[in-house]
Amino acid sequence: MFSSVNTGFRSYTGYACNTFPTRRVSGRYLALAAAAVLVVLMLYYTALHQHSAPLEQWIGPHWSEYNETSSDVWNSRAEQVKRAFVHAYHGYEVYAAPHDELLPLSNKSKDNFNGWGVSIFDSLDTMILMGLNEEFGRALPVVERANFSLPPDVISEGRLRKQYAPFFETVIRYLGGLLSAYALSHEPILLQRADDLGRMLSPAFNTESGLPLYAVNTDDGATHGPGIGILAEVASCQLEYTYLAQMTGRKEYFEKANNVIQTLARANVSRQGDMFPKRWNLSSGRPVDDVLSVGAAADSAHEYLLKQYLLTAKSDVASLQMYLRTTNHILTHLLYLSDSRDLLYVTDSSRGSFLPSHRFEHLSCFLPGLLALGAHTLDLSLDDLDPATLGPEGLRSYKLLQDYDLPSLHRWAAEGLATTCWMLYADQPSGLGPDEVYMQPTTEPDTSHMRFSGHRASQAPTPAGGKLWIDAIAKWRESGEQAWPPGLGEKVPMPYTQEEIREGNLRGSPLPKKDYALRRTDYLLRPETIESLFVLFRTTGNPVWRERGWFIFEAIERETKTATGYASVKNVLRSPAALKDDMPSYFLAETLKYLYLLFHGEELVPFDRWVFNTEAHPLPVFTWSAWERHKFGISKPSP
Ligand code: DMJ
């Protein structure tokens, strides 16, 4: 009876009615006809208010709230972001260069990432994309002079201490920045320096497993760090080293990235539901705990599984399979719904029993963008996984998801999570999102896993008060898919009132109806929510994501701008906000770049040709040539 027409951004539910004959009719017929019309009108009204459009055409709530902002306005918004970058970068150049970062309140500097001028290296590709040729021109000589030497040993607490470059941060900020700027500008010095740095950092890979150690002395190759590594730090270098191998033709770089991939692929994580936990033994290449998270210490490792597959023009199938196993577990075990606002969130679990902590980190807000990117670029299908390779819990997730259209699930999770990430900004008097919250899970104990038999429900323990999203999705489907999928319905910001702030223990237990307590009240100029809004806008075309990005940019301008730059915020509940003397380089590399790309009228850096590293440095998708395959010993991907 209902037909849906997809008209670009919007999907309309329309009603196709019968026409009545025009001949003279009796009063009885007229009454019948009037009743029929009434029924039809009621059905039409119900349909409109249930939004029961086929879910493939579903594009997210709220679109109708916005008059489409004109392209002139978006262009001027992009220009405002560019001016923000210039303000921050000039402040850095005047008061802090060539040190690492600007202290935007005291107008001093700090060296927290090797002292090589991390803000310059992290900003190179942002300058190119924004067309800031003068700034880029001033940065190139700094790159040219860089020798990546560390300061001499220092005496600290009466002992002589050697200096080391942290491997992960140096790779994602410096190496990623150089490679991306090279790909965008073709300035040869950028690749030469990337090659130098890639070589100097390589001793980090000298472990039995091939997973890198925490830090390297770039002068003599001495390494440093515990035998147990952090997931994000040991498994977020594949993009940079693979692309470096492709650009330089050096087999050793390919092997280093490939060893990391193969070690991860070999690891038995069946006890962890086939998802990679946080801590790894660098000798055995095996996990040493059961803590599952997409937040701190884990985040980018999950991100690189999908992105390595995309960067290699979909030839690194091992990375794809790990991505599917990981997202299967996330969708079935780590996504929960909040008590009264139906907010979808992703949390951590531990102790092998998949018990959720209900902590939700700002860092985890990259996940909606990742899921949306995967759903947009892949033919997501469980057929790419061999069930025989899965552990018992992984197999349960697999069977549960088999009942669904996987791309739709990924898209809904992406949109629900991104909405929550944004809501955490919109709720705060400053308009900025807290670094971490403790969510109030649904208080009604969820029993759906008991009602379904066999593989149809998650089977994961559902503690009192916790409602797994996948179980709510099962119920929603059973009930005929009325209204929005769980977590995706109409959501309204609930700003904290001054009274709540004065009287409430906002860091203790969640306020009734608000559904969360603040665990960390700071906003560290982080990019993750904006990154996801950008990917959601690009992949759905829905202007609501762009408007939400504008809301955040206005808050950044209003609350964090200083005379020389932008500063992290101590407490998002206060406006005007109290500031910290800190402007991380990722603000220039990621936060402002994603805002600029979100508002820019052209599709700069399209997803089918570029892949962003975890520090927002885009690298071009490439195909191995026959010569490279032969040289690096890469087998042909199966068709
Ligand atoms: C960035 O340095 C990178 O995105 C990293 O992967 C984790 N998050 C910070 C910014 O929040």
Side-chain angles (χ1 to χ4, degrees), residues 168-169 172-173 299-300 363 526-528 586 590 614-615:
F168 163 74
E169 297 289 359
I172 66 169
R173 298 182 196 226
D299 45 11
S300 48
L363 284 170
R526 287 197 195 277
E528 291 77 17
Y586 59 67
E590 299 191 69
T614 190
E615 190 78 358

Side-chain angles (χ1 to χ4, degrees), residues 102-170:
L102 169 72
L103 303 181
L105 298 178
S106 60
N107 298 338
K108 297 200 165 93
S109 63
K110 68 174 169 186
D111 284 325
N112 46 340
F113 291 108
N114 315 327
W116 303 332
V118 72
S119 293
I120 300 172
F121 288 77
D122 232 2
S123 296
L124 293 168
D125 55 329
T126 312
M127 295 174 201
I128 299 170
L129 290 170
M130 291 182 174
L132 295 169
N133 300 335
E134 285 178 18
E135 285 75 5
F136 183 63
R138 289 198 294 271
L140 274 182
V142 179
V143 174
E144 194 159 7
R145 285 195 300 272
N147 62 8
F148 305 119
S149 189
L150 287 165
D153 300 354
V154 289
I155 297 176
S156 152
E157 291 165 6
R159 285 174 52 199
L160 201 60
R161 287 190 192 274
K162 205 175 171 75
Q163 304 290 298
Y164 295 93
F167 177 79
F168 163 74
E169 297 289 359
T170 307

